[in-house]
Amino acid sequence: MLQSAAFQVEKEIPWHDLGNGIQRQVYGYDEKIMLVKAKFERGAIGALHSHPHVQVTYVDSGAFEMTIGEEKKIIKKGDGYYVAPNVVHGCVCLEPGMLIDVFTPHREDFL
């Protein structure tokens, strides 16, 4: 069975540099769910994309212009969003920040 350790300690989890001002930390996961932190520098672009996973995201810090489908909205610390499977989405970071993503099922491509 695929799953992470029971506990994740922030300082022990490597950051993966995705380039263009974006980094990712993968936290707990199993085959059904995954928690991920994504750190963005100002001006970094999360390119428009889609995937078969459900995604729910919380804005831990910063400000982002978020596009989901045909809708755009500025989101800031304390806000969140939901992306249904296969819906095109992406963002532009307006103020340096952190997104906390939850995916179901887990993202195999992140492991």
Side-chain angles (χ1 to χ4, degrees), residues 15-24 38-47 91 93:
W15 282 99
H16 301 277
D17 188 350
L18 306 179
N20 302 315
I22 304 172
Q23 296 181 56
R24 173 191 305 140
K39 182 167 39 175
F40 287 76
E41 295 175 8
R42 180 186 197 106
I45 297 172
C91 67
C93 182

CSV table of all heavy atoms in Angstrom, one decimal, residues 15-24 38-47 91 93:
chain,number,residue,atom,x,y,z
A,15,TRP,N,12.2,20.6,-0.3
A,15,TRP,CA,11.5,21.5,-1.3
A,15,TRP,C,12.0,21.0,-2.7
A,15,TRP,O,13.2,20.8,-2.9
A,15,TRP,CB,11.9,22.9,-1.1
A,15,TRP,CG,11.1,23.5,0.1
A,15,TRP,CD1,11.6,23.7,1.3
A,15,TRP,CD2,9.8,24.1,0.1
A,15,TRP,NE1,10.7,24.3,2.1
A,15,TRP,CE2,9.6,24.5,1.4
A,15,TRP,CE3,8.8,24.2,-0.9
A,15,TRP,CZ2,8.3,25.1,1.8
A,15,TRP,CZ3,7.6,24.7,-0.5
A,15,TRP,CH2,7.4,25.2,0.8
A,16,HIS,N,11.0,20.9,-3.6
A,16,HIS,CA,11.4,20.6,-5.0
A,16,HIS,C,11.2,21.9,-5.8
A,16,HIS,O,10.1,22.5,-5.8
A,16,HIS,CB,10.4,19.5,-5.5
A,16,HIS,CG,10.5,18.2,-4.7
A,16,HIS,ND1,11.5,17.3,-5.0
A,16,HIS,CD2,9.8,17.8,-3.7
A,16,HIS,CE1,11.3,16.3,-4.1
A,16,HIS,NE2,10.3,16.6,-3.3
A,17,ASP,N,12.3,22.3,-6.4
A,17,ASP,CA,12.3,23.5,-7.2
A,17,ASP,C,11.7,23.2,-8.6
A,17,ASP,O,12.2,22.4,-9.4
A,17,ASP,CB,13.7,24.1,-7.4
A,17,ASP,CG,13.7,25.4,-8.0
A,17,ASP,OD1,12.7,25.9,-8.5
A,17,ASP,OD2,14.8,26.0,-8.0
A,18,LEU,N,10.5,23.8,-8.8
A,18,LEU,CA,9.8,23.6,-10.1
A,18,LEU,C,10.3,24.6,-11.2
A,18,LEU,O,9.8,24.5,-12.3
A,18,LEU,CB,8.3,23.6,-9.9
A,18,LEU,CG,7.8,22.7,-8.8
A,18,LEU,CD1,6.3,22.9,-8.7
A,18,LEU,CD2,8.2,21.3,-9.1
A,19,GLY,N,11.1,25.5,-10.8
A,19,GLY,CA,11.6,26.6,-11.7
A,19,GLY,C,10.6,27.7,-11.8
A,19,GLY,O,9.5,27.6,-11.3
A,20,ASN,N,11.0,28.8,-12.3
A,20,ASN,CA,10.2,30.0,-12.5
A,20,ASN,C,9.6,30.5,-11.2
A,20,ASN,O,8.4,31.0,-11.2
A,20,ASN,CB,9.1,29.7,-13.6
A,20,ASN,CG,9.7,29.3,-14.9
A,20,ASN,OD1,10.7,30.0,-15.4
A,20,ASN,ND2,9.2,28.3,-15.5
A,21,GLY,N,10.3,30.4,-10.1
A,21,GLY,CA,9.8,30.9,-8.8
A,21,GLY,C,8.8,30.1,-8.1
A,21,GLY,O,8.1,30.7,-7.2
A,22,ILE,N,8.7,28.8,-8.4
A,22,ILE,CA,7.7,28.0,-7.7
A,22,ILE,C,8.5,26.8,-7.1
A,22,ILE,O,9.3,26.2,-7.7
A,22,ILE,CB,6.6,27.5,-8.6
A,22,ILE,CG1,5.9,28.6,-9.3
A,22,ILE,CG2,5.6,26.6,-7.8
A,22,ILE,CD1,4.9,28.2,-10.4
A,23,GLN,N,8.1,26.5,-5.8
A,23,GLN,CA,8.7,25.3,-5.1
A,23,GLN,C,7.6,24.5,-4.5
A,23,GLN,O,6.5,25.1,-4.2
A,23,GLN,CB,9.7,25.7,-4.0
A,23,GLN,CG,10.9,26.4,-4.5
A,23,GLN,CD,11.8,26.8,-3.4
A,23,GLN,OE1,12.2,26.0,-2.6
A,23,GLN,NE2,12.1,28.1,-3.3
A,24,ARG,N,7.8,23.2,-4.3
A,24,ARG,CA,6.7,22.3,-3.8
A,24,ARG,C,7.3,21.4,-2.7
A,24,ARG,O,8.4,20.9,-2.8
A,24,ARG,CB,6.2,21.4,-4.9
A,24,ARG,CG,5.3,20.4,-4.5
A,24,ARG,CD,4.9,19.4,-5.5
A,24,ARG,NE,4.5,20.0,-6.8
A,24,ARG,CZ,4.8,19.6,-8.0
A,24,ARG,NH1,5.7,18.6,-8.2
A,24,ARG,NH2,4.3,20.1,-9.0
A,38,ALA,N,2.8,24.7,-1.9
A,38,ALA,CA,3.4,25.3,-3.0
A,38,ALA,C,3.8,26.7,-2.7
A,38,ALA,O,2.9,27.5,-2.3
A,38,ALA,CB,2.5,25.2,-4.2
A,39,LYS,N,5.1,27.1,-2.8
A,39,LYS,CA,5.6,28.4,-2.5
A,39,LYS,C,5.8,29.2,-3.8
A,39,LYS,O,6.5,28.6,-4.7
A,39,LYS,CB,6.8,28.3,-1.7
A,39,LYS,CG,7.4,29.6,-1.2
A,39,LYS,CD,8.5,29.5,-0.1
A,39,LYS,CE,9.5,28.3,-0.3
A,39,LYS,NZ,10.5,28.4,0.7
A,40,PHE,N,5.3,30.4,-3.9
A,40,PHE,CA,5.4,31.2,-5.1
A,40,PHE,C,6.1,32.5,-4.8
A,40,PHE,O,5.8,33.2,-3.8
A,40,PHE,CB,4.0,31.6,-5.6
A,40,PHE,CG,3.3,30.4,-6.3
A,40,PHE,CD1,2.7,29.4,-5.5
A,40,PHE,CD2,3.1,30.4,-7.6
A,40,PHE,CE1,2.0,28.4,-6.1
A,40,PHE,CE2,2.4,29.3,-8.2
A,40,PHE,CZ,1.8,28.3,-7.4
A,41,GLU,N,7.0,32.9,-5.7
A,41,GLU,CA,7.6,34.2,-5.7
A,41,GLU,C,6.7,35.1,-6.5
A,41,GLU,O,5.9,34.7,-7.3
A,41,GLU,CB,9.0,34.2,-6.3
A,41,GLU,CG,10.0,33.4,-5.6
A,41,GLU,CD,11.4,33.3,-6.3
A,41,GLU,OE1,11.6,34.0,-7.3
A,41,GLU,OE2,12.2,32.5,-5.9
A,42,ARG,N,6.8,36.5,-6.2
A,42,ARG,CA,6.0,37.4,-6.9
A,42,ARG,C,6.2,37.3,-8.4
A,42,ARG,O,7.4,37.1,-8.9
A,42,ARG,CB,6.4,38.8,-6.5
A,42,ARG,CG,5.6,39.9,-7.2
A,42,ARG,CD,6.1,41.3,-6.8
A,42,ARG,NE,5.1,42.3,-7.2
A,42,ARG,CZ,4.3,42.9,-6.3
A,42,ARG,NH1,4.5,42.7,-5.0
A,42,ARG,NH2,3.4,43.7,-6.7
A,43,GLY,N,5.2,37.2,-9.2
A,43,GLY,CA,5.3,37.1,-10.7
A,43,GLY,C,5.3,35.7,-11.2
A,43,GLY,O,5.2,35.5,-12.4
A,44,ALA,N,5.5,34.7,-10.3
A,44,ALA,CA,5.5,33.3,-10.7
A,44,ALA,C,4.2,32.9,-11.3
A,44,ALA,O,3.1,33.4,-10.8
A,44,ALA,CB,5.9,32.4,-9.5
A,45,ILE,N,4.2,32.1,-12.3
A,45,ILE,CA,3.0,31.7,-13.0
A,45,ILE,C,2.8,30.2,-12.9
A,45,ILE,O,3.6,29.4,-13.2
A,45,ILE,CB,3.0,32.1,-14.5
A,45,ILE,CG1,3.1,33.6,-14.6
A,45,ILE,CG2,1.8,31.5,-15.2
A,45,ILE,CD1,3.4,34.1,-16.0
A,46,GLY,N,1.6,29.8,-12.3
A,46,GLY,CA,1.2,28.4,-12.3
A,46,GLY,C,0.4,28.3,-13.6
A,46,GLY,O,-0.7,28.7,-13.7
A,47,ALA,N,1.1,27.8,-14.6
A,47,ALA,CA,0.5,27.7,-16.0
A,47,ALA,C,-0.8,27.0,-16.0
A,47,ALA,O,-1.1,26.1,-15.2
A,47,ALA,CB,1.5,27.0,-16.9
A,91,CYS,N,-2.6,30.1,-12.1
A,91,CYS,CA,-2.6,31.3,-11.3
A,91,CYS,C,-1.4,32.2,-11.7
A,91,CYS,O,-0.4,31.7,-12.2
A,91,CYS,CB,-2.6,31.1,-9.8
A,91,CYS,SG,-1.1,30.2,-9.2
A,93,CYS,N,1.1,34.8,-9.4
A,93,CYS,CA,1.3,35.3,-8.0
A,93,CYS,C,1.5,36.8,-8.0
A,93,CYS,O,2.4,37.3,-8.6
A,93,CYS,CB,2.6,34.6,-7.4
A,93,CYS,SG,2.9,35.0,-5.8
